[in-house]
Amino acid sequence: MKKYFAWSVLILILAGAFFLSVFFFKDRATLLIRGGRLIDGTGRPPVENTTLLIRGGRLVRISSGEDIKKPFRARTLDARGKTIIPGLIDMHVHLIDPSLCPLFLYHGITAVRDMGNNLNFIIGLRDRIEKGEIEGPTIFASGYLINDRKIPYGAGEYTAVVKTPAQARRAVAVMARRKADWIKVYITLPQKLLREVLIEAAKFRLPVAGHLRRVDAEKAASWGIKTLEHATGIAEALLGDKIFQDVPPSWTISPLVWPRADREKFDALAELLVDRGVAVIPNLTLYHSFCLSPEELQARGHTELMPDDFKKGWLNYTHRKFPDIARYHQEWIITKTRLEEFLRLFHDKGGIMLAGTDTPWPYLVPGISLHEELELLVAAGLSPMEAILSATLRPAEILG
């Protein structure tokens, strides 16, 4: 595994709710952590009473018990009663401002997959972090979204609009030359253009992520899509009438599809996704936020951690966008419930689920929102260990 799954950063979970990221100690010569329970992120059972030796921010030795002798001038951290896990990976973010980087690190997120951004900005930020010029999580970048139009509410600022197969191929080639790590297709891209993107991306060995609607998950999986963002395209594939373009494109996720999904089709679609190795990023934090009132959203807390521009934008969201969401409150609740039902079946059949948040979507604070996502995955049916794997081993396997 590459460094994003290395033990360069550890998290100590304190009494279930509070945690300390020891990346703050990475510039110190030596750190010895004694007595903690170790969860190594591979799915193996936890190991009690471990000792970890860290030099220059890198884990150099793990031992059960206390048989590692304290090096000269090493700092010792007592981890008794605490749990040590690897740095976490958020598989769906939009890191649109460098000021957000410390929030990820502080909350133990050491790598992120950026799923839509200005290409020059995100590649530059990724490379500066890689060179050590600024502190931040390792970034896997997709650059511009590929779509046949610009979608309002933010995404239009980083959309590569393509109308022909040649333009679709060119968009992929440009991002490949700029060394993007992923390609992302977006909501209203038609079938013929999506297929061109997949064919061209395969030439450059670039995986493709899909925020789908116009093309459903069944077709996209058959053609080679790698991940389904926000679990989109699944409900559309489960409709009997296939009529699903029932909300404006600016509604990036629809509350009117899952309530009409045919449960009898759940099994076959789940098996297809498993057989094709398609991973699902449920993004339950987002669906959960759509089920809340403006007051409940604002009461989630931690907004004080955000830059002022984000606070103002989030408040504006509750005034301008939220009334449209609230109008379909019952439909959002059904949507979340049906999605969780499908996810349980998909998981039981061996499906791959990855933790992602869509931060900084309003009131999804970088770092904190991933911990909330893990809690929601457990509530949806994953075990705590499986939830941890969805933000450690599983993303590392997908990222390569």
Side-chain angles (χ1 to χ4, degrees):
M1 298 298 173
K2 295 181 181 179
K3 74 174 187 179
Y4 45 87
F5 194 53
W7 286 81
S8 55
V9 179
L10 306 170
I11 308 164
L12 303 181
I13 307 297
L14 311 181
F18 302 98
F19 50 89
L20 167 68
S21 175
V22 303
F23 82 90
F24 293 113
F25 301 116
K26 77 184 188 74
D27 292 329
R28 303 191 181 190
T30 308
L31 175 66
L32 198 66
I33 304 177
R34 292 192 184 278
R37 167 190 287 180
L38 176 66
I39 295 176
D40 66 7
T42 67
R44 288 191 287 260
V47 180
E48 304 292 341
N49 190 28
T50 57
T51 300
L52 289 80
L53 179 61
I54 300 170
R55 286 198 180 100
R58 289 287 177 178
L59 180 66
V60 295
R61 188 178 173 192
I62 301 174
S63 176
S64 179
E66 298 189 7
D67 62 347
I68 299 178
K69 186 177 179 181
K70 181 181 177 181
F72 180 63
R73 290 184 177 176
R75 174 165 182 168
T76 300
L77 195 62
D78 185 356
R80 288 175 296 181
K82 304 174 180 68
T83 300
I84 305 166
I85 67 175
L88 301 175
I89 304 170
D90 190 330
M91 287 292 282
H92 192 118
V93 310
H94 298 277
L95 216 174
I96 56 178
D97 192 316
S99 67
L100 302 178
C101 287
L103 282 173
F104 287 106
L105 295 180
Y106 181 78
H107 295 99
I109 286 71
T110 58
V112 299
R113 190 178 62 142
D114 189 285
M115 285 281 97
N117 218 315
N118 177 283
L119 181 63
N120 291 330
F121 165 78
I122 195 62
I123 295 299
L125 181 60
R126 180 196 67 185
D127 293 348
R128 289 178 66 198
I129 291 172
E130 180 72 21
K131 294 174 183 175
E133 294 176 4
I134 62 173
E135 296 287 351
T138 298
I139 296 173
F140 296 84
S142 64
Y144 294 116
L145 312 172
I146 299 179
N147 201 30
D148 67 336
R149 70 192 79 175
K150 291 190 175 185
I151 302 295
Y153 200 70
E157 300 172 15
Y158 40 86
T159 300
V161 176
V162 299
K163 300 289 188 179
T164 67
Q167 290 175 346
R169 293 192 295 271
R170 190 180 310 119
V172 172
V174 167
M175 286 187 275
R177 284 197 298 270
R178 293 300 311 280
K179 300 190 183 303
D181 303 295
W182 282 73
I183 299 296
K184 183 181 176 183
V185 294
Y186 209 45
I187 298 170
T188 60
L189 193 68
Q191 292 187 26
K192 67 177 182 178
L193 297 185
L194 189 145
R195 293 198 73 173
E196 286 292 338
V197 168
L198 287 165
I199 292 168
E200 190 70 10
K203 294 177 183 177
F204 291 99
R205 297 184 179 180
L206 283 173
V208 178
H211 182 154
L212 305 178
R213 183 183 298 166
R214 195 167 183 177
V215 179
D216 66 43
E218 181 179 6
K219 289 188 178 71
S222 299
W223 298 338
I225 204 88
K226 191 65 176 176
T227 62
L228 299 176
E229 308 307 308
H230 320 295
T232 52
I234 294 175
E236 289 81 355
L238 297 169
L239 293 178
D241 54 21
K242 296 296 182 183
I243 300 172
F244 52 79
Q245 295 186 60
D246 48 16
V247 293
S250 59
W251 288 50
T252 55
I253 298 176
S254 171
L256 305 180
V257 187
W258 275 105
R260 297 193 290 117
D262 185 351
R263 283 189 173 96
E264 293 185 4
K265 296 184 175 183
F266 277 26
D267 250 63
L269 182 59
E271 288 174 2
L272 172 67
L273 297 178
V274 172
D275 289 345
R276 294 285 180 169
V278 179
V280 175
I281 293 86
N283 197 190
L284 294 176
T285 44
L286 188 62
Y287 288 95
H288 179 67
S289 76
F290 292 155
C291 297
L292 301 178
S293 68
E295 293 76 21
E296 288 171 325
L297 264 180
Q298 294 170 344
R300 286 164 67 93
H302 309 297
T303 55
E304 73 280 358
L305 299 175
M306 298 298 293
D308 287 342
D309 286 348
F310 284 89
K311 293 177 189 176
K312 292 175 183 176
W314 289 4
L315 191 60
N316 183 52
Y317 165 83
T318 60
H319 292 312
R320 291 182 54 200
K321 188 80 173 174
F322 196 85
D324 289 336
I325 295 172
R327 212 156 23 106
Y328 294 97
H329 179 70
Q330 193 58 38
E331 287 83 354
W332 280 118
I333 291 175
I334 295 171
T335 290
K336 181 172 178 286
T337 301
R338 295 273 175 87
L339 170 59
E340 289 172 339
E341 181 183 342
F342 180 85
L343 292 175
R344 283 191 289 272
L345 178 65
F346 176 66
H347 171 262
D348 291 344
K349 290 180 178 293
I352 303 167
M353 281 198 279
L354 308 174
T357 63
D358 208 21
T359 185
W361 184 269
Y363 301 98
L364 301 181
V365 177
I368 292 174
S369 54
L370 187 63
H371 293 270
E372 294 171 339
E373 181 73 14
L374 299 185
E375 291 176 359
L376 289 169
L377 286 170
V378 171
L382 270 65
S383 71
M385 182 64 79
E386 288 166 337
I388 290 173
L389 293 179
S390 76
T392 51
L393 179 63
R394 303 296 177 233
E397 291 171 335
I398 292 289
L399 294 169

